[in-house]
Amino acid sequence: METQPRQAPSLNASVFGRDGYVVVKGMVEQALCGGVRTAVEAALDPLLGAAEFEADVGYPGAPAGLDSAGGRTPRRLLFAASRFPRLKEWATGRRMRSELAAHLGPEPVLSQCHHNCVMTKFPGYSSATLWHQDIRYWSFDRPELVSVWLALGDETPKNGALKIIPGSHRLDLDRGRFDRDLFLRPDLKENKALIRQSRDVVLEPGDALFFHCRAIHAAGKNRSAEVKLSCVFTYHDADNRPIPGTRSDRYPGLSLVAGH
């Protein structure tokens, strides 16, 4: 699979260690990116397979229920690795293994329990995602997981691109800094100061964002006129096992292709 030039892995690892995230520009060639987008669009109209709707998440701006106006607006197409073969090939390929080895360890595994989806942020009924850490609802031996977000189109503040607080993956915040659902409380003075340090993660089609499971991030509503499509997968090293009996242990992980 052809790819475009990128940063050296050593530089990516340094930036990731400092900020808790790094963007790999042009990680996916445009032909593959366009092919995945076409397959996703075909699964949206008519809607095929398992999906989560905006009304299911209950985030700010979401419809009140499935039978409310916009209630059945898709938010995620689930089980992406098993539904989109070309996407699975990329997500479990040698290039991905090479990138992740610098952040996780020598044997990265794709979790089929968390993320493993296509994010479908529609205009009109999309909701905002509050400031949070993904690890809040994952159960592993160690809080050392990395998510990879692939842009299938342009991602900007207008259409609800991710925002991340750099270095937040290294913070040890008191429980009182979060609400009952473990979202960062924006009413607290110390949290307001932290949020002011956030950065918008602007992406172009084919760019991939790698971010730590403890990095505090959020996303706004889609205020553009077009659907924003993104793919996101989560990885852990083979020796960082899911805790038995938890949601994180529901499905087996997928090993990545070895070699160079």
Side-chain angles (χ1 to χ4, degrees):
M1 186 181 300
E2 295 294 331
T3 55
Q4 299 178 17
R6 62 184 178 89
Q7 293 173 293
S10 58
L11 177 57
N12 286 347
S14 176
V15 173
F16 185 90
R18 181 192 68 204
D19 294 339
Y21 74 97
V22 67
V23 174
V24 179
K25 300 292 293 182
M27 185 172 177
V28 173
E29 62 177 355
Q30 293 305 303
L32 174 59
C33 199
V36 172
R37 186 178 183 96
T38 298
V40 168
E41 289 171 343
L44 283 171
D45 189 16
L47 182 62
L48 302 173
E52 180 181 60
F53 300 100
E54 286 287 355
D56 292 329
V57 297
Y59 291 162
L66 289 174
D67 295 326
S68 303
R72 297 186 186 276
T73 301
R75 182 178 180 87
R76 297 183 181 94
L77 298 183
L78 305 176
F79 308 114
S82 59
R83 293 175 65 174
F84 303 105
R86 296 189 72 192
L87 189 56
K88 178 183 178 181
E89 180 184 359
W90 170 76
T92 59
R94 291 183 177 86
R95 171 70 184 280
M96 184 66 76
R97 183 187 181 104
S98 176
E99 291 286 348
L100 287 168
H103 310 316
L104 283 175
E107 298 292 335
V109 175
L110 186 154
S111 171
Q112 293 194 94
C113 302
H114 303 301
H115 286 143
N116 187 22
C117 66
V118 177
M119 305 294 292
T120 58
K121 185 168 284 192
F122 280 71
Y125 293 106
S126 70
S127 58
T129 306
L130 303 178
W131 293 101
H132 68 283
Q133 298 169 307
D134 284 343
I135 193 62
R136 76 193 195 282
Y137 58 94
W138 298 348
S139 302
F140 286 80
D141 290 339
R142 305 186 305 276
E144 299 170 6
L145 296 93
V146 174
S147 293
V148 182
W149 181 286
L150 171 63
L152 297 181
D154 291 326
E155 305 216 359
T156 68
K158 183 175 182 179
N159 67 5
L162 282 176
K163 300 175 283 187
I164 295 183
I165 300 174
S168 55
H169 66 302
R170 294 183 279 106
L171 299 178
D172 185 15
L173 302 181
D174 294 337
R175 177 61 181 83
R177 300 277 291 270
F178 299 87
D179 66 17
R180 68 174 188 178
D181 297 316
L182 295 180
F183 289 107
L184 198 66
R185 292 174 55 188
D187 58 306
L188 298 181
K189 181 179 178 179
E190 55 270 39
N191 286 349
K192 290 179 180 179
L194 188 60
I195 292 170
R196 283 196 294 270
Q197 301 174 31
S198 66
R199 300 174 185 168
D200 295 310
V201 183
V202 176
L203 303 173
E204 297 177 337
D207 292 349
L209 164 68
F210 290 67
F211 62 102
H212 196 282
C213 66
R214 286 174 53 86
I216 301 176
H217 59 287
K221 299 180 181 181
N222 184 355
R223 302 184 186 280
S224 75
E226 298 181 354
V227 180
K228 183 171 77 67
L229 299 177
S230 320
C231 310
V232 59
F233 297 98
T234 295
Y235 302 84
H236 58 94
D237 197 56
D239 72 351
N240 184 20
R241 297 178 177 83
I243 296 174
T246 67
R247 175 187 171 190
S248 299
D249 194 40
R250 186 177 301 172
Y251 307 112
L254 299 178
S255 297
L256 275 62
V257 175
H260 301 284

